[in-house]
Amino acid sequence: MIQFQRDVPLRSHNSFGVAATALRYAHVRTEDELSEWCVRHGSEAPLLLGGGSNVLLTRDPVAPVFDLEPRGIQVIRDDGDTVLLEAMAGEPWHGLVQWTLAQGLCGLENLSLIPGRVGAAPVQNIGAYGVEMASRCESVAAIDLHTGEPVQFGAAECNFGYRESRFKHALREHGHDRYAITRVRFRLSRRFQPHLDYGDIKTELQARRISAPSAQDVARAVIAIRERKLPDPAVIGNAGSFFKNPVVPNVIADALSERFPGMPRFAVAGASHQSKLAAGWLIDRAGWKGRRLREDSAAAVHAQHALVLVNHGGASGADILELANAIADDVARQFGVALEVEPRIV
């Protein structure tokens, strides 16, 4: 049976380090106890906080807050070159990546050092340096929070897109979590096929004088780049990239390219009429890098990475959201491009 704690401070349970209080907070240890709770309380959807690495708390959550704890990694099937792996939702994502590399398994190395847990990865369809989790995902198991019934979705049924999934869509549709992801299966390979399309990785490997990189080499390069570019949440509160890279019609991208020669733009797979723009470039060009709304505000844009909003200590979630809205309004005014927030806003 799930045991609740009352009035639990959440500052240490979210990577932004903002203050909020859970009226009811529980560690969920097994899928069965989560299922049993949902059967009895299906009309009261919990807030699945997990590692709190992709959420901005702007108020005290009214819903019960659940931390899904189950951990474990196991090989389901080994076909020699291909391995089917299952990881529980409570596993730290970077720990999973390191475990796979230690076993000689390839496919997740570009996703090294992404904060959070395995259970959150499919919701956001996490991605970095040319690789998305969706390309390695075999299936997702979850509990339907309305009924308590276990459900399973093949990768195609997850409706993965750019920082998008059926789980995120259900969250928007219902206004709360519909599914609690409990385990994820990945199809990985012992044959390394490097994805080095991003210039940062190529540059890092060249600096290390590595011409024929292994999966471990790529992982170490990604870790070095992320440590150099992104602030550590343990040192300064943040949730990584705060805005998605906007996808716009080519006519808009062409007009902006004429105004701003050299503006980064990228092709969109399966959509030849659209281009993806770099949100960080737009924010930087708009003059927001390193800025705050007010001198005494602890909410700011990171000085080294315009896509990252930070809490220098004492900022509320509302302060950070106010800054984000001001940035989005200014980018829309200057470039005619709408920015979409990545983290979940509570």
Side-chain angles (χ1 to χ4, degrees), residues 124-173:
Q124 190 77 355
N125 184 20
I126 60 173
Y129 301 104
V131 174
E132 290 184 334
M133 189 227 64
S135 66
R136 308 294 180 246
C137 180
E138 176 78 7
S139 63
V140 174
I143 299 294
D144 186 326
L145 295 174
H146 287 184
T147 66
E149 292 294 318
V151 290
Q152 183 159 318
F153 304 100
E157 297 174 291
C158 292
N159 299 331
F160 289 125
Y162 171 57
R163 303 299 179 269
E164 187 60 72
S165 69
R166 77 174 298 153
F167 313 105
K168 196 169 184 179
H169 176 79
L171 171 62
R172 288 195 300 266
E173 180 181 358

Side-chain angles (χ1 to χ4, degrees), residues 47-75:
L47 169 62
L48 306 175
L49 190 57
S53 61
N54 198 48
V55 64
L56 177 62
L57 300 171
T58 63
R59 57 172 172 79
D60 294 339
V62 175
V65 177
F66 284 177
D67 181 357
L68 302 184
E69 289 189 336
R71 295 179 62 168
I73 306 170
Q74 63 173 325
V75 172

Side-chain angles (χ1 to χ4, degrees), residues 6-78:
R6 301 286 179 175
D7 299 325
V8 175
L10 297 177
R11 188 189 297 275
S12 63
H13 295 276
N14 70 94
S15 62
F16 261 118
V18 299
T21 300
L23 304 180
R24 291 169 293 165
Y25 182 93
H27 297 277
V28 180
R29 300 175 180 82
T30 69
E31 293 164 279
D32 286 343
E33 66 178 14
L34 174 60
S35 182
E36 290 170 6
W37 188 89
C38 291
V39 169
R40 296 184 181 185
H41 307 277
S43 62
E44 185 181 24
L47 169 62
L48 306 175
L49 190 57
S53 61
N54 198 48
V55 64
L56 177 62
L57 300 171
T58 63
R59 57 172 172 79
D60 294 339
V62 175
V65 177
F66 284 177
D67 181 357
L68 302 184
E69 289 189 336
R71 295 179 62 168
I73 306 170
Q74 63 173 325
V75 172
I76 303 299
R77 188 169 66 250
D78 189 336

Side-chain angles (χ1 to χ4, degrees), residues 176-203:
H176 56 72
D177 291 298
R178 171 67 190 272
Y179 302 104
I181 294 172
T182 55
R183 52 185 77 207
V184 184
R185 290 189 175 184
F186 301 91
R187 186 172 295 277
L188 304 178
S189 176
R190 288 195 171 92
R191 293 190 177 184
F192 178 50
Q193 295 183 319
H195 291 267
L196 309 176
D197 298 334
Y198 272 67
D200 283 353
I201 296 182
K202 290 181 181 179
T203 301

